Amino acid sequence: MAGLLAATPDQAEFLVELLDHGLLIETGEPGVYGRGGGFERIREAFDRLVSRVAEPDGAEAMRFPPVLPRRHFEASGYLKSFPHLAGTIFSFEGTEQEAIEQEDVAHRHGDWSGYQRMTDLVLVPAACYPVYPAIARRGPLPPGGLAIDAGGAYVFRHEPSADPARLQMFHQREMVRLGEPETVALWRNSWRDRAEEVLTRVGLDAHPEVAADPFFGRAGRMLAANQRAQELKFELLIPIAGPEPTAVASFNYHQDHFAGTYGITMADGSPAHTACLGFGLERITLGLLRSHGLDHTRWPAAVTRQLWP
Amino acid sequence: MDPESGMGERVRHIILQHGRLPTDIQALEDHADLYQAGMTSHASVNLMLALEAEFDIEFPDAMLKRSVFQSVASITDALERLQVSAA
């Protein structure tokens, strides 16, 4: 297997506890788990809490399946920044004879990639990616721009890890703001504060940090330094397991990157700016389980009142 | 190339090719901010890689930051610290 990230002893122990209590369900692949009923009740409750907090924004709801047209993905620049994290969908388009050969090789767990061709789809790397081309298709933004609630979509990152807080497929609860630069920057900063307050309300000890995306390679180190120097990304971190706190929410100001890529403009033709925020719903669920115990029916009333009002 | 002005001119030429500036690099002072002049983060990465190829060097991790690639002067400074000969 390519590059399995190791877990610290307490991360490994936490994973065993989660599996023993049926909160996560083993599939045999690191970072890919089923979710038990108890886990989902917490995850969905936090998702609804975010909806309640976001209600005054009056954001337009949009939901997309966890795949992205390959053409949109190729335009996004993701392969320049994160070639190591992307997941591409391949499928079979061969003859009957090739289908027999493919099955034979696959059955023996051999390499059957030679029978596969790239499809027009990739796995969604972040829940906001389908939003930008959809908005661009409508034409110029209305005055004041738009707020979009992209929901809690499954996203994929190719980074197999034994740490239960580093999943290959997880739910990102995303919100997107498109508009004039000042409007977008203000929205991003106000959500950073609101999100910290939400996490505090459910008993999580969150603190904000200037952050950078996990860009690839030496060029990536420079992109990360640029991102930090311009404070384009903030994260909220909480203790889960392991020596370092874990990022559970991020607040990202893209400037005109996505607007330029997909052609999103204001009514006067000037390029729009965009920002997004994402809550890592599984990580927040894990943080809650770690802080308050594995049985949510025994959590402090002050926390459960927030999650199940 | 004239060793007095060689380094700066070579740096300007690489910025012209890789900086994707909307303005004329020759109109910018040595200390002018290239990011202010419209250089994007991705363009600065291409510039960094092109400088490495041109001068046959590798910037150490500590130099892979925004301020190093901010102006003709800061780039020339960095190259001098890496003891690149202008000849």
Side-chain angles (χ1 to χ4, degrees):
Chain A
M1 186 193 310
L4 174 69
L5 298 167
T8 63
D10 52 344
Q11 288 166 348
E13 195 180 311
F14 187 38
L15 176 58
V16 170
E17 284 174 11
L18 293 161
L19 295 170
D20 284 351
H21 283 76
L23 290 159
L24 294 183
I25 301 159
E26 189 77 84
T27 69
E29 279 301 313
V32 181
Y33 304 100
R35 280 81 164 145
F39 190 97
E40 284 298 271
R41 269 191 291 281
I42 302 163
R43 185 183 67 76
E44 288 168 1
F46 187 83
D47 195 6
R48 286 193 301 269
L49 173 58
V50 173
S51 297
R52 290 194 293 277
V53 172
E55 213 174 344
D57 286 12
E60 176 183 341
M62 282 189 175
R63 300 292 184 268
F64 291 93
V67 290
L68 188 66
R70 180 157 58 87
R71 295 186 70 79
H72 292 162
F73 175 75
E74 288 163 350
S76 73
Y78 193 87
L79 284 174
K80 190 156 38 175
S81 300
F82 315 106
H84 56 310
L85 298 177
T88 317
I89 300 179
F90 283 65
S91 195
F92 175 77
E93 292 175 15
T95 63
E96 280 189 49
Q97 180 56 38
E98 285 164 340
I100 291 166
E101 291 169 17
Q102 171 177 259
E103 204 286 324
D104 184 50
V105 179
H107 193 75
R108 291 182 276 108
H109 301 299
D111 178 2
W112 46 285
S113 59
Y115 297 95
Q116 294 278 302
R117 285 181 68 108
M118 198 187 264
T119 67
D120 292 332
L121 296 172
V122 301
L123 295 172
V124 159
C128 63
Y129 272 59
V131 171
Y132 308 108
I135 297 296
R137 210 167 286 126
R138 291 182 183 174
L141 295 177
L146 277 176
I148 303 294
D149 176 351
Y154 258 124
V155 302
F156 177 80
R157 303 278 167 88
H158 177 242
E159 46 180 355
S161 168
D163 173 6
R166 190 169 294 281
L167 301 175
Q168 295 199 69
M169 208 137 197
F170 57 96
H171 289 91
Q172 229 177 27
R173 176 63 200 264
E174 281 237 29
M175 237 86 68
V176 182
R177 189 74 169 90
L178 312 93
E180 290 89 355
E182 310 75 44
T183 314
V184 167
L186 269 175
W187 175 88
R188 196 272 306 249
N189 293 345
S190 82
W191 257 106
R192 183 189 59 205
D193 300 341
R194 282 157 96 182
E196 187 177 353
E197 200 254 323
V198 172
L199 293 172
T200 307
R201 268 160 56 184
V202 293
L204 295 174
D205 181 17
H207 73 274
E209 263 185 22
V210 174
D213 284 308
F215 294 109
F216 182 71
R218 293 183 67 244
R221 237 168 259 146
M222 197 159 136
L223 289 173
N226 273 332
Q227 198 179 25
R228 280 181 199 279
Q230 296 178 89
E231 300 197 345
L232 296 177
K233 185 183 188 78
F234 286 94
E235 288 176 341
L236 287 172
L237 296 95
I238 63 167
I240 300 182
E244 302 292 333
T246 304
V248 294
S250 77
F251 308 85
N252 310 287
Y253 182 23
H254 318 121
Q255 297 171 308
D256 61 356
H257 171 74
F258 284 111
T261 298
Y262 297 111
I264 305 169
T265 61
M266 304 307 299
D268 65 2
S270 64
H273 277 213
T274 64
C276 74
L277 70 93
F279 288 95
L281 295 181
E282 277 80 358
R283 282 186 171 179
I284 290 169
T285 305
L286 292 172
L288 289 165
L289 290 163
R290 187 74 167 173
S291 291
H292 308 317
L294 297 181
D295 179 358
H296 71 76
T297 62
R298 309 175 84 172
W299 285 1
V303 172
T304 56
R305 261 199 307 274
Q306 293 293 329
L307 290 169
W308 294 280
Chain B
M1 200 172 268
D2 175 5
E4 290 298 307
S5 62
M7 173 97 79
E9 284 312 307
R10 282 167 78 188
V11 167
R12 281 174 180 273
H13 186 66
I14 295 166
I15 295 171
L16 175 69
Q17 285 181 310
H18 300 277
R20 283 185 267 145
L21 291 181
T23 47
D24 177 10
I25 175 69
Q26 298 305 352
L28 291 178
E29 305 267 339
D30 276 0
H31 288 277
D33 188 322
L34 297 172
Y35 296 103
Q36 294 279 340
M39 182 168 70
T40 65
S41 286
H42 279 291
S44 72
V45 167
N46 292 341
L47 171 62
M48 182 269 287
L49 295 171
L51 288 164
E52 290 194 336
E54 167 73 16
F55 293 100
D56 192 25
I57 46 141
E58 188 172 305
F59 290 105
D61 284 0
M63 281 192 174
L64 295 178
K65 56 187 182 189
R66 195 175 170 82
S67 56
V68 170
F69 301 90
Q70 193 139 17
S71 65
V72 173
S74 65
I75 292 168
T76 314
D77 264 9
L79 292 171
E80 276 165 3
R81 271 181 283 152
L82 293 171
Q83 297 183 309
V84 172
S85 159

